Amino acid sequence: MKIKVWCDSGASIKSGREKVIDLEADWGITDEEWAAMKEDDKYKEVEQWAWNTGLSVGWEEA
């Protein structure tokens, strides 16, 4: 199965990223495993992709 994932910091028109992921080839997740996952767990997989893709967040005290 393939899914499309995306992330966007909203900083500019070029701040978004998206990619089509082959679940088994890219992440080692079978179609059956994906179908059995809870929505939160799927989100965590995609969130990890976003972090690995270069999405960064931070904070500082003002």
Side-chain angles (χ1 to χ4, degrees), residues 14-36:
K14 296 181 180 184
S15 65
R17 294 194 170 113
E18 68 178 47
K19 182 176 181 180
V20 173
I21 301 289
D22 181 312
L23 288 174
E24 193 156 9
D26 296 331
W27 291 354
I29 299 173
T30 66
D31 293 353
E32 294 79 16
E33 290 170 327
W34 182 259

